[in-house]
Amino acid sequence: MKLSYEGLKEQEGWKGAGVALPEYDWKTMKERTMESPVWVHFGAGNIFRGFIAGLQQRLLNQQLADRGIVAAETFDYDIIDKIYRPHDSMTLMVSLKPDGSTQKEVIASIAEGIKADSSDSQQWTALKNVFENPSLQMASFTITEKGYAIRDIQGNLMKVVEEDMEQGPAKARHAMSVVAALMYARYLAGAAPIALVSMDNCSHNGEKLKSSVLAMVKAWRERELVPGEFEAYMEDEARVSFPWSMIDKITPRPAEIIEKQLSEAGIEDMAPVITSRNTYIAPFVNAEIPQYLVVEDRFPNGRPSLEKAGVYMTTRDTVNMTERMKVTTCLNPLHTALAVYGCLLGYTSIAQEMEDAQLKRLVERIGYDEGMPVVTDPGILSPMDFIHEVIDQRLPNPFIPDTPQRIATDTSQKVAIRFGETIKSYMASDSLDVKNLTCIPLALAGWLRYLLGVDDRGEAMAVSADPMLTRLQQQLAGVKAGEPDSYKGQLKEILCNPAVFGVNLYEAGLAEKVEGMFREMLAGPGAVRAELKKYV
């Protein structure tokens, strides 16, 4: 059996393999979508294919929609050539249950995958046609937080962004320039309204998207490459809105065991590929079952009935509170703590870590004991129910092939939100003493110890990619695992940096505690484990 429009005609074989099939005709859906598109999505990777595209599939199956989604890829064009086109843009979604069983479904709601490449005239024209159509209601995004950045870590405009600002819409290359250019095409075609919806896992995502896109528009207007009326159109949220959202679903890289199971079931060509941009991606997506999407309901040109597919459509304040609940208390801080300590202790699976008594207790204390007293309750989801599901079901799921090494990526960009916000809440409280925090400082000390690139056995360890890695390791120069006396205050410049932690940890009264924990973890092999035993 092949994953394609023709391949799905062999329905009995798919059903015999336990695979649910779409309850609509893909070809008809594609024709309707390209004639009058309603939804385009930037970022053609796994979270889109395995979660967001599945939302529209539910609506199509229930006959609550008759059009699908156009997928646009801004970064890795091989995904379109090697994953989308050979399979008619379809995905085999494999949901992983904690008992090891799976649910399998062909997601066919993507009408077409297009390269958002202004140098490819055919692809660029196809994407412009989508944006020029007044029927288009929304453009959504899962391009990772880095995709919105137009400046480097020193605050300077990236070279590609500077060049895009000079050259104008016709030669846009950066993702934010591409969006601005396509919106210019929409403006010229009649300035129909639209919602631009970031669905990336970052705080105030709609604000990040708006800021970067408008920066491009302003630069072009200042250079007289676009008229002032276009800038006014983009700034008018009654015509172009930037709703905020909160998304949550663990979607790890394709697992070898799942590929093998699919092959044994008679499903062909499921092998992952590694693209020229080093994306590891397969025709299937494996992911956990729990998923959450909360979206600010501001769509000036209408929208799909997403609430009927399980999306919480609500206010910006509620989105912000839900995101804050997850990112600062109920999930993300726990993930980061497990990531750095998992690497130090030689783990390659988050689920394995949850069988470690000290690590399980560490995340319980960070979440229940230190986070819950200042948690934000959004009203639509119970923080206690959410964190119970995370600790008792999601993180221990042995069939989610997620690794601490993956989650440790870009940690410097995460700690300010994941831990700094809780620290600031304690500092602002009249009833709580920030100096009573123990496990949050322990997580921060563990991350700093991790940056040395030496595990708890005293052996060299790979450190995951991070935009601040070189700078942080330079600041830690001279510190050596196994030599506590090599620490001579090298952390001071890091701990006082609010850009890293969200606060100056000396002003917060926690820097000395973090320094002490860090120094104790330099004692030699086993010192990291000893520190966990001491504090948790």
Side-chain angles (χ1 to χ4, degrees), residues 342-479:
C343 292
L344 286 166
L345 296 174
Y347 284 103
T348 57
S349 160
I350 292 295
Q352 290 172 354
E353 288 189 72
M354 291 301 288
E355 297 177 3
D356 183 308
Q358 274 96 40
L359 293 179
K360 185 172 187 288
R361 181 62 182 144
L362 173 67
V363 295
E364 288 174 341
R365 289 196 58 190
I366 289 173
Y368 294 131
D369 299 347
E370 298 185 353
M372 276 294 161
V374 294
V375 72
T376 302
D377 187 341
I380 60 171
L381 294 170
S382 161
M384 191 59 75
D385 289 347
F386 191 95
I387 195 171
H388 271 308
E389 181 182 60
V390 167
I391 290 177
D392 297 336
Q393 299 178 40
R394 297 174 67 183
L395 296 178
N397 187 340
F399 303 99
I400 299 293
D402 216 351
T403 68
Q405 290 75 20
R406 182 189 76 85
I407 296 167
T409 302
D410 299 337
T411 299
S412 71
Q413 308 300 292
K414 303 170 182 175
V415 289
I417 298 296
R418 299 186 179 192
F419 300 107
E421 290 302 308
T422 295
I423 293 171
K424 286 191 282 189
S425 294
Y426 271 76
M427 293 171 68
S429 173
D430 295 328
S431 59
L432 297 168
D433 186 351
V434 68
K435 293 182 180 179
N436 288 336
L437 292 173
T438 298
C439 288
I440 286 177
L442 186 61
L444 300 179
W447 171 55
L448 295 165
R449 168 65 180 79
Y450 160 85
L451 292 173
L452 298 180
V454 179
D455 66 20
D456 198 32
R457 296 171 296 180
E459 298 177 4
M461 171 191 74
V463 177
S464 299
D466 190 304
M468 290 189 69
L469 182 59
T470 300
R471 178 181 172 187
L472 290 166
Q473 290 184 329
Q474 287 172 347
Q475 291 171 324
L476 288 169
V479 180

Side-chain angles (χ1 to χ4, degrees), residues 249-286:
K249 187 179 183 72
I250 298 174
T251 310
R253 64 185 285 170
E256 185 177 345
I257 188 172
I258 299 300
E259 178 196 350
K260 183 179 179 182
Q261 289 176 3
L262 297 176
S263 178
E264 291 174 348
I267 303 170
E268 303 173 46
D269 302 327
M270 288 291 106
V273 299
I274 300 176
T275 70
S276 58
R277 292 281 192 134
N278 291 317
T279 304
Y280 190 86
I281 191 168
F284 67 90
V285 171
N286 46 227

Side-chain angles (χ1 to χ4, degrees), residues 128 131-133 169-170 180-192 225-227 229-230 233-234:
K128 283 177 66 177
F131 269 80
E132 288 167 350
N133 199 315
L182 291 166
M183 287 300 296
Y184 185 49
R186 186 170 182 82
Y187 164 78
L188 293 175
L225 298 169
V226 299
E229 290 80 5
F230 172 53
Y233 164 69
M234 292 297 297

Side-chain angles (χ1 to χ4, degrees), residues 51-68:
F51 182 3
I52 296 164
L55 300 173
Q56 191 69 358
Q57 170 121 328
R58 292 186 191 181
L59 299 181
L60 285 161
N61 280 344
Q62 297 174 60
Q63 297 182 340
L64 297 172
D66 62 0
R67 285 161 286 177

Side-chain angles (χ1 to χ4, degrees), residues 11 13-21 92-93 104-106 262 267:
Q11 291 196 11
W14 288 98
K15 291 177 181 177
V19 180
L21 299 178
L92 182 52
M93 177 62 197
K104 297 183 284 291
E105 179 183 13
V106 172
L262 297 176
I267 303 170

Side-chain angles (χ1 to χ4, degrees), residues 470-531:
T470 300
R471 178 181 172 187
L472 290 166
Q473 290 184 329
Q474 287 172 347
Q475 291 171 324
L476 288 169
V479 180
K480 296 181 179 179
E483 299 180 23
D485 291 340
S486 66
Y487 178 68
K488 302 184 186 300
Q490 290 95 326
L491 285 181
K492 286 182 167 47
E493 189 176 350
I494 301 173
L495 297 177
C496 70
N497 188 351
V500 177
F501 298 104
V503 294
N504 180 326
L505 290 181
Y506 285 99
E507 294 176 359
L510 291 176
E512 290 81 1
K513 183 178 288 188
V514 173
E515 281 185 284
M517 292 171 169
F518 174 80
R519 192 177 187 282
E520 288 174 352
M521 282 190 275
L522 299 176
V528 173
R529 174 65 71 182
E531 198 75 353

